[in-house]
Amino acid sequence: MDFAGKTVIVIGGTSGINRGIAEAFAATGAKLAVASRSQDKVDDTVAALKAAGAAEAIGAAFDVRDPDAVAAGLARFHDAFGDFDVLISGAAGNFPALAAEMSVNAFKSVIDIDLMGTIHVMKGAYPFLKRPGASIINISAPQSWLPYEGQAHVCAAKAGVDQITRTLAMEWGPEGIRVNSVVPGFIEGTEGAKRLTPTKEAEELFRSDVPLGRWGKPQDVANACLFLGSDLAGYISGILLSVDGGLYQRGSGRAGQMIGQMLRSAKGKEG
Ligand code: NAP
Ligand code: COA
């Protein structure tokens, strides 16, 4: 893969899976721009991207829930680098909570970050996308189509993200813009995985549901993004590409109930 001379934007690219994606593009010589809420995380990532081989790396701190801040941040990236070849939108929030027990604002906070954040990023980037040729990749999750207890907020938000992917693939396809989702399975060492599988037992249960028998790595997800961002995927748009070791084939299975069971059991202990 050679992205030398290309501009790659990664929103939510300062930790975990998305940072792994940004680093993989950096290693191919791309110009990278990353954004998230924390200026410290942005600065740390920009330094790491330069060390990984990025032709140039810049960053900005903004919250994807604020459409004006998103648009202004993306405009600064465009001023610095020109039209975007690859745009990755992956900012997200998650915590385990049963629907009956989480506040309305808790549910809304995940909808605001994952779903509204995605449309803010899509709309903010739209004027700056390379035509023809831009590739947009939204980072989804298995919760988009598999129900998991304790994840109603995330299931609703990510299902919406994937429908944005499919709809914008239709709306923007005539301009030569491709829009796809990458759907990671459970990826080791990440914040998202830690929040959902806080114990060794839970980790093992999730792993045992993966036909390939192992957790994923950030590089597995990055590889799919390199492909979708490249000309090799030039006729692929509107797909939801799972990078999950085959997890989808088994449905959410026992793992689909486990988060709910943990939450109910913790509540029982509290009395
Ligand atoms: P993570 O390390 O917590 O990454 C989330 C990123 O989004 C961080 O850079 C965070 O930085 C940023 N972010 C969060 N809220 C934001 C906001 N309101 N505005 C702007 N940026 C924000 O999580 P991860 O586990 O690697 O997950 C990354 C992506 O993969 C997410 O889309 C997640 O849904 C998806 N995914 C993860 C897994 C998994 O196993 N971990 C599985 C399937 C899908 P700041 O804190 O600086 O804002
Ligand atoms: N269980 C139930 N409700 C929770 C919760 C939990 N574990 N964590 C937060 N909430 C609720 C809060 O109580 C609040 O609701 P309230 O106003 O009715 O009290 C609401 O969610 C928003 O919380 P707040 O801490 O104000 O939001 P924030 O904007 O500072 O942070 C989060 C957003 C909650 C999603 C936070 O976890 C976050 O920043 N996550 C990013 C990292 C991440 O989740 N990574 C994994 C990605 S898959």
Side-chain angles (χ1 to χ4, degrees):
M1 291 289 174
D2 180 5
F3 284 87
K6 306 269 184 181
T7 293
V8 179
I9 312 293
V10 188
I11 306 302
T14 63
S15 59
I17 295 172
N18 303 327
R19 176 160 161 167
I21 296 167
E23 287 176 355
F25 277 100
T28 71
K31 292 180 282 184
L32 263 297
V34 290
S36 78
R37 291 167 299 177
S38 153
Q39 187 67 53
D40 286 348
K41 284 173 72 175
V42 168
D43 293 343
D44 183 67
T45 305
V46 166
L49 294 173
K50 287 178 180 163
E56 293 177 68
I58 57 174
F62 56 74
D63 192 316
V64 294
R65 288 171 284 195
D66 178 345
D68 295 336
V70 172
L74 290 167
R76 286 202 300 281
F77 292 160
H78 185 256
D79 288 345
F81 287 164
D83 287 353
F84 305 162
D85 295 282
V86 180
L87 169 69
I88 293 160
S89 175
N94 191 3
F95 46 80
L98 294 167
E101 279 150 31
M102 77 174 103
S103 68
V104 168
N105 193 46
F107 192 94
K108 184 175 179 298
S109 68
V110 170
I111 298 291
D112 283 346
I113 299 168
D114 295 27
L115 179 55
M116 295 308 296
T118 299
I119 197 67
H120 295 157
V121 170
M122 297 298 106
K123 285 175 71 65
Y126 181 67
F128 308 133
L129 297 169
K130 187 168 177 201
R131 293 167 169 79
S135 169
I136 297 176
I137 302 166
N138 288 322
I139 305 301
S140 181
Q143 289 92 326
S144 165
W145 55 60
L146 299 176
Y148 287 80
E149 292 186 24
Q151 290 283 275
H153 44 335
V154 178
C155 292
K158 291 292 194 180
V161 168
D162 283 342
Q163 288 297 74
I164 288 175
T165 291
R166 299 170 77 209
T167 306
L168 296 195
M170 290 175 66
E171 291 189 12
W172 295 356
E175 297 174 62
I177 297 165
R178 297 184 292 111
V179 191
N180 294 294
S181 284
V182 162
V183 189
F186 292 93
I187 306 300
E188 69 187 6
T190 59
E191 184 61 29
K194 279 182 212 151
R195 288 181 183 213
L196 297 189
T197 58
T199 63
K200 282 278 165 216
E201 268 176 308
E203 266 184 38
E204 176 52 25
L205 176 58
F206 271 68
R207 191 203 55 73
S208 68
D209 262 349
V210 180
L212 284 183
R214 68 167 176 88
W215 282 60
K217 299 175 192 306
Q219 187 68 48
D220 293 318
V221 184
N223 290 343
C225 293
L226 289 170
F227 168 64
L228 284 178
S230 78
D231 292 342
L232 292 176
Y235 200 52
I236 298 178
S237 194
I239 66 157
L240 317 177
L241 176 58
S242 292
V243 184
D244 64 359
L247 175 74
Y248 178 47
Q249 309 312 318
R250 289 202 178 135
S252 54
R254 290 172 302 154
Q257 288 176 291
M258 191 214 67
I259 299 165
Q261 281 162 354
M262 281 196 309
L263 290 163
R264 281 188 290 272
S265 143
K267 195 176 163 222
K269 280 183 200 141
E270 279 165 19

